[in-house]
Structures are given as C-alpha cells and as structure tokens.
Amino acid sequence: DSGVTQTPKHLITATGQRVTLRCSPRSGDLSVYWYQQSLDQGLQFLIQYYNGEERAKGNILERFSAQQFPDLHSELNLSSLELGDSALYFCASSVPGLATYEQYFGPGTRLTVT
Amino acid sequence: GQNIDQPTEMTATEGAIVQINCTYQTSGFNGLFWYQQHAGEAPTFLSYNVLDGLEEKGRFSSFLSRSKGYSYLLLKELQMKDSASYLCAVRDSNYQLIWGAGTKLIIKP
C-alpha cells in the first residue's frame, strides 16, 4: 500500500459524459501527478500540481482539467468523453526535498467509456 | 526532443538472470528511476541512480552511465512473480520525469 488513495476504483460511463476522479496523496506529500495509461501502453503524463498550483503540463487534452485543493487532494475532470478515453488513470505523489523523491502511485481508476 | 528507449518485450527462464536496457536522450539529467508494474496494477519504485555505477538491492541491481546515456536493470534468480513490465524514467533539467514505454518481461518455468 503506497498511501495514495484514488476513487472510484472503476467507472463506466457513456460517450459525451463528464466524470471526476479523485486522489488523496500520501500524508505530507505536496506534489500530485496524474497519468493516463491505455491498454498495453506506457504511462502518459497529464499534469502536476504542487501545493495547490499547477507545476507542469504534459499531454493533457483541453477536455480534461485538474485541480489541487487546500487539503492537497486532487481531482481530475474528464468531459465530453470519447471511446478513446477508456484507460487506467493513475495519481502519484512525491515528497519534495528528498534526494530521490520518487513518485508513489495510487491503485488507479479504471475508466470505461461505452 | 526527449526520448527513452527500452526493448518492448523480453523472455527469460525462472532462476536465470536478465538485463533490461534503457537508453535516454533528455534535456538535462537529474536521476534515473526504475519502476515495476504488474498488469493492471500501479507502478512501484525499484531503484534510483544519479551517479555512475551500480546500485544493488537484493536480487535487483541498476547501473548507470551518464556519459553514454545508458542504464540497465539486472534481475537475478528470476521468479515467476517477476513477470511484469519494467519502466525506465529520467528526471530532466526541469525535474520532470520522462517515461519510457516499458519492457514487458515474461518468465517461463
């Protein structure tokens, strides 16, 4: 158990709909990262937040948005969903200040768009 | 552009040794990570290299050569549970992680 929690674990929805994925980082971690992983594909970095502010942006579609709240939990909003958005969405957190500050991943949310 | 290359798939035999290579071209270098990911599960951290040389952690070792832009992960005494994907990631000059596509390792009895 990494200490990072994600809800829901599974989500099935229809094309055109909007969903929100939630992530709670490990206690003390200020950075949150969101990743998308389609079937048998590598991790695609979407976005990073640090202490409530956007720090870095990857290949995130305009239909997707995220935010990090004062209690450091984060939400990823996916709208106008398409079949191709079906994937595993991971959240990760890390501790700044450590030499390695490796990322700890949550269990993921499996999104299925039908 | 930034690029990380790993073999797509490798096969090895239980009890044997396997080496998974990773070559990278990134904007700056601030460390290289190896992660293990079982199918449908979250990646888990295996190792970190920032200086040249070998880091050993039980059955797993990771090597780095910064001048060659090269790393490898060495897995000894392979077990069936080592069947997984192994992800190489490099932290660039902006302290962002650039991820490789991963190497799927298949262990046969």
Side-chain angles (χ1 to χ4, degrees):
Chain A
D1 185 352
S2 67
V4 179
T5 60
Q6 288 187 249
T7 56
K9 195 165 185 177
H10 300 278
L11 199 50
I12 301 174
T13 188
T15 54
Q17 295 298 305
R18 182 180 190 273
V19 297
T20 297
L21 313 183
R22 183 188 168 106
C23 167
S24 292
R26 295 187 323 154
S27 177
D29 286 3
L30 300 179
S31 277
V32 168
Y33 309 78
W34 285 99
Y35 292 90
Q36 179 193 57
Q37 188 173 41
S38 302
L39 191 63
D40 292 334
Q41 299 294 309
L43 282 173
Q44 295 296 318
F45 168 65
L46 297 177
I47 197 163
Q48 177 200 355
Y49 279 83
Y50 176 79
N51 204 19
E53 300 207 355
E54 184 183 302
R55 175 62 65 93
K57 233 174 182 176
N59 300 320
I60 187 165
L61 299 172
E62 284 191 15
R63 300 184 286 110
F64 296 0
S65 64
Q67 53 183 327
Q68 186 179 28
F69 294 87
D71 66 352
L72 300 178
H73 91 271
S74 178
E75 292 181 356
L76 179 68
N77 301 295
L78 315 176
S79 61
S80 302
L81 284 167
E82 303 174 359
L83 295 177
D85 298 327
S86 294
L88 259 175
Y89 290 84
F90 288 109
C91 164
S93 71
S94 67
V95 179
L98 291 181
T100 59
Y101 56 100
E102 66 267 23
Q103 295 181 18
Y104 292 86
F105 284 76
T109 293
R110 182 173 293 282
L111 173 67
T112 303
V113 182
T114 61
Chain B
Q2 309 209 83
N3 194 51
I4 296 185
D5 285 318
Q6 305 178 234
T8 303
E9 188 174 294
M10 298 181 71
T11 303
T13 305
E14 191 177 14
I17 299 173
V18 71
Q19 177 175 311
I20 302 174
N21 295 326
C22 170
T23 57
Y24 62 89
Q25 288 178 304
T26 55
S27 306
F29 178 85
N30 283 296
L32 184 143
F33 297 80
W34 285 96
Y35 281 78
Q36 180 191 58
Q37 185 180 24
H38 286 99
E41 298 183 10
T44 54
F45 169 73
L46 285 178
S47 69
Y48 170 76
N49 294 70
V50 68
L51 299 176
D52 290 350
L54 190 68
E55 294 282 342
E56 297 187 78
K57 241 188 197 182
R59 294 189 298 115
F60 292 6
S61 304
S62 57
F63 172 82
L64 174 68
S65 168
R66 288 172 296 169
S67 62
K68 294 182 180 176
Y70 167 71
S71 172
Y72 67 72
L73 181 69
L74 191 71
L75 292 75
K76 301 176 188 174
E77 300 168 18
L78 285 169
Q79 302 175 10
M80 297 304 291
K81 68 178 182 180
D82 298 328
S83 292
S85 287
Y86 291 86
L87 312 177
C88 173
V90 173
R91 191 159 59 203
D92 68 10
S93 56
N94 293 320
Y95 279 77
Q96 295 305 310
L97 271 186
I98 311 302
W99 293 85
T103 298
K104 184 175 181 180
L105 178 64
I106 300 167
I107 309 296
K108 295 188 173 178

